Amino acid sequence: MEEARTGEYKKEFLDRYRILFKDFNSFLKANERENLCIRVNTLKISKEKLRKRLEDRGVILEEIEYGFKILKSAFSISSCPEHLFGYFYIQGEAEMNIVPFFKFKEKLVIDMCASPGGKTTQISEIMKNKGVVLAFDVDRIEALKNNIQRLGVENCVVFKKDSTKLDIEAKNILLDAPCTGSGIIRKDPTRKYSRSMNDIYFCQNLQKKLLEAGIRSLKTDGELIYCTCSLEPEENEHVIDWALKNFDITLEEITTTINGKKLVDGFQKPFGKRLDGEVKKCKRFLPHVHDTHGMFVAKVVK
Ligand SMILES: C[S@@+](CC[C@H](N)C(=O)[O-])C[C@H]1O[C@@H](n2cnc3c(N)ncnc32)[C@H](O)[C@@H]1O
């Protein structure tokens, strides 16, 4: 059983998490175990064929909806031929559940913050390489292009461009926003101490600018998915609350289960500040509830 290692966290963050998560101790323990997961790339191979190939190499797998958990492998999964051939993408289980929340409305999809391409390549996979995905980012463009090529994606155009200046309209827009990343402490334990409240407010400012640009570019009857891998309400419910107060939008509730458990409702009164009741429709994946990274997701509709 994992130990709750409190010593590595900044005290102010421990105090915050103690208030946010009533099962605080199990939250801390859950941050000490990581599941290595892969998403099968059905553009290149079926789930069953991938299972057979990896099991033939002695890898012990557990099936999840969009791929597998790697329970045991004698070698680094990123260096096996199946990875190099683009048969799978190494991706957290919560992360691979975000893109399937879309109802695809037309043949054009915008990914505002695409690098290194985990969700972009999944959009193309679901679109079966038809239509067009416009993938924007300001950084890691080579990694994005490499992943697109490795996974056999043929319907994606990459732009090195600041998405706060987005000027194309679409009915499906993904905003996987830059964030402080406290939801991925299990993958990167340095996140226990490497971020400050200033970083949270810096990200919030950028997240609002990106969301404003996304909403401006969203066509009527369209949907924008906003997500982060941060646990901090300031980067999540507060950003959505701000958007509800300032733009003509509503939220659509995401109803899904993961590992047999419903997602957790968005926090309506984080740290005592009451937000618009609609934020309940936002959802959270939590390490101690779903055994995944912490992710926040909201579906904004116009
Ligand atoms: C959470 S990561 C995206 C992960 C990616 N969607 C995936 O699934 O692999 C956030 C991204 O936002 C990008 N970003 C930050 N500011 C941006 C801006 N103004 N315009 C576009 N992208 C930006 C960062 O470079 C980073 O790659």
Side-chain angles (χ1 to χ4, degrees):
M1 198 59 191
E2 304 78 17
E3 293 283 313
R5 292 162 55 166
T6 52
E8 296 155 348
Y9 291 85
K10 280 189 177 160
K11 181 176 177 311
E12 63 179 323
F13 281 89
L14 275 185
D15 293 343
R16 284 165 62 85
Y17 299 147
R18 196 176 285 111
I19 296 169
L20 279 183
F21 307 120
K22 60 179 184 308
D23 27 14
F24 174 64
N25 219 41
S26 73
F27 162 76
L28 291 177
K29 283 185 186 167
N31 279 343
E32 301 305 322
R33 58 170 185 268
E34 167 70 324
N35 296 317
L36 178 59
C37 297
I38 60 173
R39 172 173 57 78
V40 58
N41 175 24
T42 56
L43 288 176
K44 287 203 166 179
I45 195 167
S46 70
K47 202 175 185 184
E48 277 323 299
K49 281 190 179 151
L50 178 62
R51 179 207 292 276
K52 168 122 191 20
R53 288 186 70 125
L54 292 177
E55 285 181 346
D56 285 350
R57 292 187 192 283
V59 182
I60 314 269
L61 302 167
E62 179 187 313
E63 186 169 347
I64 53 176
E65 188 162 4
Y66 301 107
F68 300 99
K69 272 185 200 165
I70 309 292
L71 301 185
K72 202 167 168 207
S73 173
F75 50 86
S76 160
I77 205 74
S78 63
S79 58
C80 74
E82 286 73 18
H83 186 246
L84 304 177
F85 295 158
Y87 292 170
F88 64 83
Y89 191 96
I90 299 171
Q91 191 173 33
E93 191 180 3
E95 287 84 338
M96 64 177 88
N97 271 273
I98 301 294
V99 170
F101 292 145
F102 268 128
K103 285 194 284 290
F104 287 95
K105 307 239 175 184
E106 31 170 59
K107 298 253 175 264
L108 173 73
V109 179
I110 293 176
D111 187 348
M112 295 176 67
C113 295
S115 299
K119 298 184 190 68
T120 314
T121 53
Q122 192 177 14
I123 294 170
S124 292
E125 184 194 342
I126 293 174
M127 294 171 83
K128 298 190 166 33
N129 251 339
K130 302 275 180 348
V132 184
V133 184
L134 304 181
F136 296 89
D137 209 292
V138 288
D139 201 8
R140 299 184 290 174
I141 298 296
E142 274 312 298
L144 174 60
K145 286 185 179 168
N146 286 344
N147 281 321
I148 285 172
Q149 191 179 33
R150 183 174 63 83
L151 271 76
V153 166
E154 292 168 353
N155 68 338
C156 182
V157 187
V158 171
F159 297 89
K160 183 170 187 190
K161 188 174 159 161
D162 177 357
S163 285
T164 62
K165 301 187 171 64
L166 195 67
D167 54 3
I168 303 169
E169 293 193 334
K171 283 197 177 181
N172 289 101
I173 300 182
L174 175 64
L175 172 50
D176 183 15
C179 69
T180 55
S182 43
I184 60 165
I185 285 173
R186 22 167 75 198
K187 176 166 125 185
D188 175 9
T190 68
R191 309 253 172 177
K192 288 174 177 171
Y193 51 81
S194 59
R195 301 294 195 271
S196 66
M197 285 308 294
N198 278 346
D199 295 322
I200 292 179
Y201 289 116
F202 174 85
C203 286
Q204 184 191 59
N205 190 32
L206 181 54
Q207 288 153 356
K208 285 182 180 174
K209 285 188 183 152
L210 287 162
L211 184 54
E212 179 170 4
I215 291 172
R216 220 178 34 231
S217 299
L218 189 63
K219 288 186 186 169
T220 307
D221 192 34
E223 48 185 55
L224 178 151
I225 290 182
Y226 174 86
C227 63
T228 77
C229 63
S230 166
L231 300 168
E232 317 307 325
E234 292 84 350
E235 299 179 69
N236 297 320
E237 287 89 350
H238 280 260
V239 173
I240 297 299
D241 177 69
W242 168 83
L244 285 165
K245 290 188 166 92
N246 287 283
F247 306 102
D248 191 12
I249 53 156
T250 52
L251 297 183
E252 188 179 304
E253 186 147 20
I254 291 165
T255 49
T256 193
T257 58
I258 181 158
N259 299 325
K261 299 211 171 86
K262 279 182 163 171
L263 299 184
V264 170
D265 290 344
F267 299 154
Q268 289 168 272
K269 210 178 162 192
F271 306 122
K273 182 167 172 23
R274 177 153 313 275
L275 304 177
D276 190 316
E278 279 284 290
V279 300
K280 190 171 183 270
K281 293 181 179 168
C282 305
K283 298 292 161 196
R284 282 173 172 263
F285 296 81
L286 293 173
H288 54 302
V289 180
H290 306 102
D291 196 22
T292 61
H293 295 153
M295 291 249 3
F296 172 89
V297 58
K299 193 189 261 196
V300 172
V301 293
K302 240 186 185 174

